[in-house]
Structures are given as C-alpha cells and as structure tokens.
Amino acid sequence: MSAGAPEIVIAGNLLVDDIVLRDGRTLMGEPGGAVLHGALAAALWGARVGVVGVLGTDYPPAAIEAPAAHGIDTAGLRPSGATSLRTWLLYEHEARRVVHQLGSPSHEAVSPSAGDVPAAWWEAAIVHVAPMPRTIQLGFSAHAQRGRTVDPHEAL
C-alpha cells in the first residue's frame, strides 16, 4: 500500500436528509449518509480515509469539498447523473423514523458497487461497507482481502 493510499475505505450511500426535530423545527437538504459520517469520524482520529459512493446531482457540494480539504480521498465517488435518495428523518419522542421520499431513486440505484472501488484501495487495512441493501453489500464480500466490516441495513 502506498503512503498516500487510504488505510480505511468506507463504501456506502450519500443521502440528502430533510430532518424534522421533536420540537417541530426542520433542517432541509442536509448532507447525510453513513459513508460521510464514518469518513469524518475516522479522519478526525488521523486515519487516511477513502470514500466510495454514488454522488447525486443535488448532493450539497460543500459536503464533499470540506472532507476532501481535510484529506479524505473522494476518488471513489461516482457521479450518478440523477438526484440523490432523499429521506425524511423524523425524530419523535421515543424513536427516529426514516422515510424515503416519493420520487427519489431506489436505495439500490444510489448504492455503489465493488467496481466503484479504486483497485489499489482493496489493500486497505479496513474496508467498511456501510448500511445498504444486503444484495449490494454481498457484492463487496469477494473483493476485500482483509479487515472487512459490514454494518447491516436490513434486520437480521
């Protein structure tokens, strides 16, 4: 692995979230997706991180530019040419609900595939597959040589 190659590769979705807080306040068009949050957390601890995902036309550009400015490698992001999956995040008193908005692409359509991972990145110490449909996650299984972790999306 070259000195600049990622130590941790995180593959997952980049979603646009419209958030309704318990007190009724809203946050619209927020950048979301486990790949973004995981990458920021790993980079905070000094790891060299590479992200793999499908970038929608409406994904907030600053949400990609800021992590890249902090050393997160975005070479694994593939533009989709379509809008992102947009969700309502509804924070209620006891729980949070996620509702995919009508007219959004399917979860499968906005999920990366193993073919989106730059070849040299498969040698990273850790390849983390964030929550995505299980059939998509299984496509990553044959490729990672070591350190593969999977965060299940569907209830097991």
Side-chain angles (χ1 to χ4, degrees):
M1 182 169 63
S2 70
E7 298 168 296
I8 300 174
V9 173
I10 303 176
N13 300 121
L14 294 168
L15 309 177
V16 176
D17 298 325
D18 293 329
I19 302 168
V20 180
L21 302 171
R22 281 189 284 176
D23 64 7
R25 288 179 296 133
T26 59
L27 302 167
M28 305 300 285
E30 293 293 313
V35 68
L36 175 68
H37 301 294
L40 291 169
L44 178 67
W45 290 97
R48 290 187 317 276
V49 182
V51 292
V52 179
V54 178
L55 188 58
T57 56
D58 58 341
Y59 201 77
I64 299 302
E65 295 163 2
H70 287 90
I72 295 174
D73 194 334
T74 59
L77 297 181
R78 171 177 50 88
S80 71
T83 59
S84 303
L85 173 58
R86 197 162 185 135
T87 63
W88 285 107
L89 295 182
L90 307 172
Y91 286 90
E92 298 178 347
H93 183 66
E94 296 293 324
R96 175 188 80 144
R97 284 195 247 177
V98 179
V99 179
H100 291 188
Q101 293 185 15
L102 297 175
S104 287
S106 70
H107 202 169
E108 290 82 2
V110 299
S111 295
S113 70
D116 292 319
V117 179
W121 288 15
W122 286 114
E123 295 187 28
I126 298 171
V127 176
H128 177 70
V129 182
M132 293 184 280
R134 194 169 87 187
T135 55
I136 302 292
Q137 289 181 317
L138 289 173
F140 285 85
S141 295
H143 297 280
Q145 301 299 310
R146 58 188 176 164
R148 180 183 62 238
T149 62
V150 177
D151 187 355
H153 168 68
E154 300 166 3
L156 301 176

